[in-house]
Every structure is written in C-alpha cells, then in structure tokens.
Amino acid sequence: SEEKESTWYTRKQMQKIRCESMIAVRIMNTGRKVDGNITCGRGLEAMTPEGWEERALSKQWVHESVFDTQHHQQMQGYTDEFELATASDNLSRLSKVTAVEKAAYDFDEAKNIYEGDADLVKLLTQIVNQKDEDYEEKKISADSNQRAGALVSC
C-alpha cells in the first residue's frame, strides 16, 4: 500500500543504510576526514573496536553484579527483585549519564543549526523541557517506590 511504502524502508534502502553505516564505522576507525569533515558516527560508537569492548565490559559488570546479588540472596534465603534491579541500575547509571550528556550536546548543536528558525528552536526547547519534567516525575516516583520498598522489607 502507499501508506506502507511511505512509512517503511524497502530492503534496498535498508541495505544502503547498512552499507553507509559500515563505511562510516571504517572511516571512524581510521580517524580520517572526508571532504575536510570528520564523519559523524553518532549512534555507531558501539561498532568501533573501542566501543564494542566498552559495551561488552559494561554488560559483563552488570551481569556479574546481578549474579552476585542473586547468589547473596540465595545464601541468605530470600528474594528481592528490587535489590536485583538496583544492582543493575547502579552500574547502568554511567551509560545513562553519558547518553544524557550526548543528548544535551546534540540539543545545543540543533539550536545552533536552526537558530534562524525561532519557531523550531522554541519547539525543541519545549520538547526538552517536557522531557526534563517527565524525567523528574519518574525519578521522584522511583525514589518513593524505593523508600516504600525499604519500609516493606524491614
């Protein structure tokens, strides 16, 4: 259907995107410039050897932390899913902070690129502010749940 064609990538388009992504990763790995510009690899960092290793180590640390927590719980004879989630979340926090920092940088870049379009900059700012409010609400909710969980486990 026409709607499907306008919404979804074709196989040929997906193959082209994959090919271009792999070329970008190879260029990123060499550090060379293309037409005087450094190739933007946003989102492809994990495809570089360093990114691949960093991601693998991060996953390993999270798994080890969760397994250690499970083992401790088994030895003590209890199960606490929230404690397991916290073990994972604590180690995942660095990745989250890095993602937020990159998003803030991208936002600033977008504002600079589109500074002549006041309506677009206003819309971007509204979106970011709404996301900040959503994040704070979720954080407050998570903190409340954590305190409630601590009261229940006492």
Side-chain angles (χ1 to χ4, degrees):
S1 79
E2 188 176 316
E3 181 180 354
K4 184 178 176 182
E5 289 176 13
S6 67
T7 305
W8 298 94
Y9 290 116
T10 65
R11 284 185 192 269
K12 187 175 182 178
Q13 289 171 321
M14 288 299 295
Q15 287 172 341
K16 182 180 179 194
I17 291 169
R18 275 193 204 102
C19 182
E20 289 172 350
S21 297
M22 294 312 297
I23 290 169
V25 168
R26 286 188 190 118
I27 291 170
M28 286 170 51
N29 287 336
T30 65
R32 72 175 192 234
K33 295 181 179 183
V34 177
D35 298 329
N37 296 314
I38 296 175
T39 300
C40 177
R42 175 71 80 229
L44 299 174
E45 296 92 344
M47 299 300 289
T48 64
E50 297 84 10
W52 187 265
E53 184 177 341
E54 182 180 313
R55 186 165 187 245
L57 281 173
S58 178
K59 287 171 92 173
Q60 179 183 345
W61 292 335
V62 170
H63 291 160
E64 287 176 3
S65 176
V66 170
F67 294 145
D68 287 347
T69 303
Q70 280 180 326
H71 179 72
H72 173 76
Q73 289 180 5
Q74 289 169 349
M75 297 303 288
Q76 298 296 320
Y78 72 98
T79 302
D80 183 347
E81 294 85 2
F82 185 76
E83 186 179 346
L84 291 171
T86 301
S88 173
D89 187 57
N90 286 341
L91 287 173
S92 300
R93 192 163 309 217
L94 179 59
S95 297
K96 293 173 188 173
V97 168
T98 301
V100 169
E101 287 172 351
K102 288 180 181 180
Y105 175 82
D106 289 346
F107 172 67
D108 288 338
E109 285 292 304
K111 280 192 338 188
N112 290 336
I113 291 169
Y114 298 108
E115 67 185 343
D117 187 341
D119 290 336
L120 183 56
V121 170
K122 182 179 177 183
L123 177 62
L124 287 171
T125 304
Q126 288 172 343
I127 291 169
V128 169
N129 289 341
Q130 182 60 48
K131 295 293 182 194
D132 287 345
E133 290 171 16
D134 292 346
Y135 173 77
E136 287 301 320
E137 285 177 23
K138 288 177 184 173
K139 183 178 174 196
I140 290 168
S141 175
D143 290 345
S144 297
N145 290 339
Q146 184 174 6
R147 283 191 296 278
L151 292 174
V152 169
S153 65
C154 289

